[in-house]
Amino acid sequence: MIGVILTLNAGSSSLKFALYGEDGDTPLAQGMVDRIGGNEASLSLKDGAGNALPVADISPNDHTQALAVVLDNLRQAFPDTELRAIGHRVVHGGTDYAQPVLVDQTVLSKLDKLSPFAPLHQPHNLAGIRAAMEAFPGVPQIACFDTAFHRTHPWVNDAFALPRDLYDRGVRRYGFHGLSYEYITGELQASAPLIAASRVVVAHLGNGASMCAIQNGRSVASTMGFSALDGLPMGTRCGQLDPGVLLYLLDQEGMSSDAIADMLYRRSGLLGLSGGLSNDMRTLEQSGTPEARQAIEYFVFRIQRELGAMAAAMGGIDGLVFCGGIGENSRLIRARICERTEWMGLEIDHARNDENARIISSDISRVTAMVIPTDEGLVIVRAARAHLAQENAT
Ligand code: ADP
């Protein structure tokens, strides 16, 4: 029997998963159940080399059934394996969790209390944990939090200028995408230790997007705050918004909070700015309509603006790292962002950028710009392996 570790990332209607061996950075298999509860639910499953594996027809109604489908298919594809641990991506760890944690009923009820802070994500993440606990009562379940990496923020980057009791009631700038920032920090520490020990801005630019100021390996500021809506515009999320707009929509336009939430999370960002054309950067780059061009212009401008803010939070900048689907692949967006960064000592080398090289700044650039593919799943599996190692040692 080969010991394996499963990682799960449960969304509202999806369940992403990856299966890892006891060591190694590449998953044995990974995939996703999509449109859970819908008529067109689907399962995709690929092996470590990215080749599609055969799957059965499925129709899961909820996360428990989706997990059962995943497990059935994994058992077929990897018959001689034994599950040693399950690692879960959880959006919110509140103020308590700065590290991954072994989940038991007490932890689960603490995490339940954080659902109002991330109502669109946390309940689904926890449904994934509950489904896994039910299926494997004896197997350790490790929760890894998107907020944990940011618990080192100084108070000025943790608070809003609101009446103080709201801070005590949890209205704070938590920051998200922490698993990605942790991975990039580890990569820098291993391959570019001098940069890792200095002042780095990481731009995680995917469907969700944020930036983080990381000084000597510790997060000091990030563009996302209380929710995953703040900061940069995203595929369908608005990014930073004057709170007066919300009051206007509530009071003058008579919108309900549900309708506003739907607009801010699902109909804004690149999708909204492009006039409903697409949330997908590739489509926008290819389309060339005036609205698509403006959506890209807005995206680039807000990144440039926040880059200045992140650098200011650290008193300067020595490295800029691009990651996420757009950061890792879009030569155009990286080039456009770096058109206006000479003032901070960052000069792009266009040939390197066009090649998607790891270092894309010029030799004379004071700031080193890099492209590093992120791997949130690996951070989760490493946390699960660390737990197993600790368990074996005691
Ligand atoms: P998520 O946040 O859902 O994990 P990803 O990190 O996969 O998303 O990023 C998805 C985004 O990356 C999409 O907007 C997609 O268009 C963009 N993207 C992926 N490849 C390219 C490419 N070659 N050029 C431009 N954009 C790309």
Side-chain angles (χ1 to χ4, degrees):
M1 281 286 184
I2 303 167
V4 287
I5 296 169
L6 183 67
T7 62
L8 295 179
N9 179 358
S12 57
S13 60
S14 69
L15 180 68
K16 292 186 190 152
F17 61 90
L19 189 73
Y20 289 82
E22 275 177 307
D23 44 37
D25 289 354
T26 311
L28 305 170
Q30 58 188 325
M32 165 154 106
V33 183
D34 209 0
R35 292 187 283 268
I36 297 169
N39 291 334
E40 292 168 15
S42 66
L43 166 69
S44 63
L45 179 61
K46 289 180 179 165
D47 67 13
N51 304 310
L53 295 171
V55 290
D57 277 348
I58 60 162
S59 53
N61 289 320
D62 56 24
H63 287 88
T64 306
Q65 291 181 9
L67 180 63
V69 165
V70 169
L71 294 170
D72 278 351
N73 281 275
L74 287 176
R75 274 192 208 105
Q76 298 268 335
F78 302 91
D80 295 322
T81 52
E82 185 184 46
L83 194 57
R84 298 273 154 82
I86 304 180
H88 299 267
R89 181 172 183 177
V90 178
V91 69
H92 221 302
T95 52
D96 280 355
Y97 296 113
Q99 299 292 337
V101 65
L102 176 68
V103 182
D104 58 16
Q105 290 304 332
T106 315
V107 171
L108 255 188
S109 63
K110 278 191 182 177
L111 297 179
D112 268 333
K113 293 204 177 81
L114 295 170
S115 285
F117 290 106
L120 299 186
H121 296 98
Q122 189 85 345
H124 307 296
N125 300 159
L126 301 186
I129 298 185
R130 288 200 164 90
M133 286 171 97
E134 217 170 282
F136 296 98
V139 171
Q141 316 275 339
I142 314 298
C144 301
F145 304 100
D146 272 309
T147 49
F149 187 72
H150 302 291
R151 299 281 27 90
T152 48
H153 280 185
W155 182 81
V156 283
N157 275 325
D158 198 35
F160 294 104
L162 291 168
R164 269 200 104 97
D165 59 317
L166 278 169
Y167 180 81
D168 301 331
R169 277 154 44 202
V171 181
R172 303 185 186 193
R173 295 180 203 269
Y174 291 98
F176 297 89
H177 286 139
L179 300 174
S180 175
Y181 296 129
E182 189 176 331
Y183 177 82
I184 299 292
T185 300
E187 275 295 290
L188 283 176
Q189 282 164 345
S191 67
L194 286 180
I195 295 177
S198 61
R199 300 163 298 185
V200 180
V201 174
V202 180
H204 176 107
L205 309 178
N207 226 340
S210 73
M211 292 163 83
C212 183
I214 303 175
Q215 193 158 10
N216 196 11
R218 289 158 70 91
S219 169
V220 294
S222 77
T223 59
M224 273 183 180
F226 177 71
S227 73
L229 281 175
D230 201 5
L232 304 179
M234 301 169 226
T236 61
R237 286 175 250 162
C238 58
Q240 190 266 327
L241 190 70
D242 177 346
V245 173
L246 300 184
L247 296 177
Y248 173 82
L249 295 175
L250 279 167
D251 295 341
Q252 307 302 326
E253 300 256 325
M255 283 177 78
S256 68
S257 66
D258 280 353
I260 293 178
D262 180 60
M263 186 179 86
L264 300 183
Y265 276 97
R266 299 195 185 91
R267 295 191 289 116
S268 297
L270 296 173
L271 179 68
L273 283 170
S274 67
L277 177 68
S278 180
N279 63 311
D280 192 291
M281 187 55 86
R282 276 167 298 201
T283 309
L284 298 180
E285 284 185 11
Q286 281 154 18
S287 133
T289 65
E291 291 82 4
R293 279 207 299 274
Q294 279 191 331
I296 292 177
E297 214 171 297
Y298 185 90
F299 185 72
V300 167
F301 172 68
R302 298 303 300 205
I303 293 168
Q304 290 168 332
R305 220 181 91 135
E306 292 297 333
L307 186 55
M310 293 294 107
M314 300 186 289
I317 174 172
D318 304 297
L320 170 65
V321 177
F322 290 100
C323 65
I326 299 171
E328 290 162 28
N329 297 298
S330 176
R331 299 155 174 86
L332 174 81
I333 297 296
R334 293 193 306 254
R336 294 273 307 267
I337 292 168
C338 296
E339 264 167 20
R340 307 254 309 264
T341 50
E342 266 116 16
W343 66 273
M344 57 165 60
L346 196 170
E347 185 190 82
I348 194 168
D349 178 315
H350 288 286
R352 289 176 184 168
N353 182 48
D354 287 345
E355 282 163 22
N356 257 342
R358 191 165 170 99
I359 294 184
I360 57 166
S361 47
S362 74
D363 289 340
I364 59 158
S365 180
R366 196 191 57 72
V367 176
T368 307
M370 304 177 79
V371 178
I372 303 182
T374 195
D375 192 341
E376 289 147 314
L378 199 51
V379 174
I380 299 174
V381 83
R382 282 176 184 159
R385 285 174 183 156
H387 171 81
L388 291 175
Q390 201 184 18
E391 217 177 41
N392 284 343
T394 52

